[in-house]
Amino acid sequence: MMTQPFILSPRYRLDDELPWLEGVDPSRRYWIAVNGNQQLQVIIPGLCVSSVQELKEAILQFRSLQPQEIMTIKRVVGGCSIHCISENCYAIQGRVDGALTWHLFDKESIESLLMTSHPDWIPSPQDLELGRKALQMAFEQPAYVA
């Protein structure tokens, strides 16, 4: 019988010494300070649901992931995939300064992020500010690129 390897790679945990979660904006995007570095942030598209039933189904799907399985989060614009690496190690692909990177999380952290998609979740004032920042960044982009 083959057992799962013990993953020694550092991963984002809710009890990390360095705060990595900047917040979750109103459109349910996760703002992460890469390795706790506030100067290096990434935005990961998060789960959006329209009902508590959809949220329950997504949480159950996440909890049932086995190593090498993937859960895809689809959004109108963008999305992400949660890759189960081992029992308590999950990866989400992203870009840091244009380079492809993998952000590793423990199970509790991913589940907490997914729970922010609850229809009754109310963003904090800090999270609302992240939403404003995202809008400002969108307005700074060129309207048309040939």
Side-chain angles (χ1 to χ4, degrees):
M1 180 170 127
M2 194 167 137
T3 59
Q4 294 300 317
F6 182 71
I7 305 293
L8 296 176
S9 298
R11 64 201 85 168
Y12 297 115
R13 298 181 334 263
L14 293 177
D15 61 351
D16 272 343
E17 292 176 21
L18 295 173
W20 55 270
L21 182 62
E22 295 293 313
V24 180
D25 70 27
S27 64
R28 309 318 201 260
R29 289 176 297 199
Y30 314 137
W31 292 62
I32 308 235
V34 177
N35 297 325
N37 179 352
Q38 260 101 35
Q39 304 305 314
L40 193 57
Q41 290 184 342
V42 294
I43 303 170
I44 298 172
L47 178 66
C48 287
V49 298
S50 58
S51 69
V52 173
Q53 184 58 37
E54 264 186 87
L55 175 62
K56 286 180 185 178
E57 290 169 8
I59 295 293
L60 290 174
Q61 180 185 4
F62 171 71
R63 288 179 179 169
S64 72
L65 284 178
Q66 297 298 310
Q68 301 180 12
E69 291 183 342
I70 299 169
M71 176 180 170
T72 302
I73 295 176
K74 296 179 183 174
R75 296 176 56 117
V76 173
V77 176
C80 73
S81 296
I82 300 171
H83 300 256
C84 180
I85 306 300
S86 71
E87 185 178 321
N88 194 29
C89 185
Y90 299 85
I92 297 176
Q93 184 177 331
R95 292 208 174 268
V96 176
D97 287 339
L100 188 60
T101 33
W102 288 94
H103 304 284
L104 300 179
F105 298 85
D106 69 358
K107 187 173 194 165
E108 183 181 22
S109 296
I110 294 279
E111 202 164 289
S112 294
L113 291 173
L114 294 174
M115 291 300 287
T116 64
S117 69
H118 191 286
D120 294 336
W121 177 77
I122 299 172
S124 71
Q126 176 188 349
D127 294 330
L128 289 172
E129 191 55 41
L130 292 174
R132 288 184 192 100
K133 185 176 177 181
L135 280 174
Q136 179 183 359
M137 289 169 35
F139 287 129
E140 292 171 357
Q141 298 298 314
Y144 175 75
V145 178

